[in-house]
């Protein structure tokens, strides 16, 4: 099978465990960004490099949403209110201009654990929801007979093994479509400085916050809302955003 013209970058927000749930953030979010390889090379990656050069003077800094919210020494300039406002505006512009299609799954962990006696790992469930929708989108793009790489960040030996097993189950037919899906898993370390993974990282938490507190102002979500995969009637829920249960 030839490779497709697209890449999928996947990142999460929240803990995927069910044993203990953070009452302030009781969701697990998986964000999947579908990007054309040409756009990735010609637009997305250069744009992020320019942003990094502007604020760090080099492009080796790895962006992480958590460190933007709670700055460490590499983000010390964010303690200056004016610089912080400028930086957040630059981040928003980067995401808004980036050409990608978003598919996200949000698992409401408390409701999920209460409803099912033997709930599966939220990561695997969210991945299943994401890959099913991405498969439909790729078919619509004429890429259904090609292999699309799904790129995720390595998290640890045990977690990586569990993810690989879940991915193979979904890909090989354990999905709502009931057939093998044309995906290939690529697991890379955080130090790889992947532009696509950093983009997905910036998106996941705003989606979770929107589900938890829909009436709260959420500029980051407002920007990505236009990126969701949609139905012919412009519906997001069920098409580009799966909230479960």
């Amino acid at each position: 099978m030839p490779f497709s013209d697209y890449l999928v970058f996947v990142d999460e927000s929240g803990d995927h465990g069910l044993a203990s749930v953070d009452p302030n953030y009781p969701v697990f979010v998986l964000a999947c960004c579908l990007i054309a390889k040409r756009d990735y090379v010609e637009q997305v990656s250069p744009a992020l490099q320019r942003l990094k050069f502007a604020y760090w003077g080099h492009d080796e800094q790895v962006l992480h949403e958590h460190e933007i919210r709670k700055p460490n020494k590499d983000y010390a300039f964010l303690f200056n209110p004016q610089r912080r406002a400028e930086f957040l505006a630059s981040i928003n512009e980067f995401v808004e201009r980036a050409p990608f299609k978003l598919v996200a799954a949000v698992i409401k962990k408390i409701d999920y654990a209460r409803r099912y006696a033997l709930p599966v790992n939220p990561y695997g469930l969210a991945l299943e929801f994401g890959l099913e929708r991405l498969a439909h989108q790729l078919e619509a793009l004429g890429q259904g007979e090609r292999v699309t790489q799904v790129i995720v960040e390595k998290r640890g030996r045990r977690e990586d093994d569990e993810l690989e097993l879940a991915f193979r189950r979904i890909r090989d037919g354990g999905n709502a479509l009931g057939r093998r899906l044309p995906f290939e898993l690529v697991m890379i370390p955080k130090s790889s400085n992947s532009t696509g993974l950093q983009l997905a990282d910036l998106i996941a938490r705003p989606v979770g916050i929107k589900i938890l507190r829909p009436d709260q102002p959420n500029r980051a979500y407002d920007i990505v809302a236009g990126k969701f995969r949609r139905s012919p009637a412009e519906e997001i829920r069920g098409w580009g955003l799966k909230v479960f249960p």
Side-chain angles (χ1 to χ4, degrees):
M1 250 189 177
F3 293 124
S4 84
D5 298 326
Y6 292 80
L7 295 169
V8 175
F9 294 93
V10 179
D11 202 19
E12 74 266 23
S13 174
D15 181 2
H16 59 79
L18 293 172
S20 62
V21 178
D22 180 357
N24 296 313
Y25 196 76
V27 294
F28 176 77
V29 183
L30 202 66
C32 306
C33 296
L34 179 68
I35 308 176
K37 291 176 180 176
R38 181 172 180 175
D39 290 337
Y40 187 70
V41 170
E42 297 180 359
Q43 297 183 51
V44 183
S45 291
L48 187 57
Q49 284 182 303
R50 287 191 293 269
L51 186 152
K52 291 180 179 181
F53 286 139
Y55 289 95
W56 285 281
H58 61 81
D59 65 347
E60 298 305 313
Q61 181 65 43
V62 178
L63 284 184
H64 196 278
E65 185 271 342
H66 177 77
E67 291 168 341
I68 294 173
R69 285 189 294 114
K70 299 180 179 181
N72 60 19
K73 62 180 180 179
D74 292 325
Y75 292 80
F77 65 90
L78 293 181
F79 290 109
N80 180 306
Q82 181 177 346
R83 289 286 282 168
R84 181 177 182 81
E86 293 171 353
F87 179 74
L88 293 179
S90 296
I91 289 289
N92 288 339
E93 182 181 11
F94 164 67
V95 174
E96 190 166 19
R97 290 189 174 185
F100 67 94
K101 192 67 68 176
L102 175 62
V103 169
V106 180
I107 309 299
K108 296 191 287 186
K109 297 198 295 181
I110 295 174
D111 294 343
Y112 178 50
R114 286 174 178 169
R115 181 173 297 188
Y116 296 92
L118 297 171
V120 300
N121 187 298
Y123 195 117
L125 181 63
L127 183 63
E128 183 175 339
F129 292 145
L131 292 181
E132 289 165 357
R133 285 155 181 79
L134 288 165
H136 283 307
Q137 183 65 25
L138 286 162
E139 286 176 357
L141 292 167
Q143 304 288 312
E145 299 302 317
R146 297 185 172 201
V147 175
T148 299
Q149 279 103 352
V150 177
I151 301 170
V152 303
E153 184 179 293
K154 289 184 176 180
R155 297 171 297 154
R157 178 76 176 269
R158 181 176 62 81
E159 292 88 347
D160 292 348
D161 288 346
E162 290 175 354
L163 172 56
E164 188 168 6
L165 284 174
F167 177 86
R168 288 181 178 177
R169 175 187 61 79
I170 298 163
R171 182 199 59 189
D172 294 344
N175 55 72
L177 283 67
R179 58 179 169 82
R180 183 180 175 88
L181 304 179
F183 292 115
E184 177 181 275
L185 184 65
V186 179
M187 308 179 80
I188 61 175
K190 187 180 183 67
S191 59
S192 67
N193 203 355
S194 164
T195 294
L197 287 182
Q198 290 167 80
L199 175 63
D201 173 79
L202 293 171
I203 290 166
R205 184 176 174 84
V207 173
I209 294 296
K210 182 65 176 179
I211 298 304
L212 288 172
R213 298 185 280 277
D215 297 326
Q216 175 180 301
N218 190 334
R219 173 62 176 154
Y221 176 83
D222 293 341
I223 289 171
V224 302
K227 308 289 187 178
F228 277 109
R229 174 178 178 259
R230 295 170 181 260
S231 74
E234 292 296 302
E235 298 169 308
I236 293 175
R237 287 291 187 107
W239 289 73
L241 177 60
K242 173 69 174 180
V243 180
F244 189 85

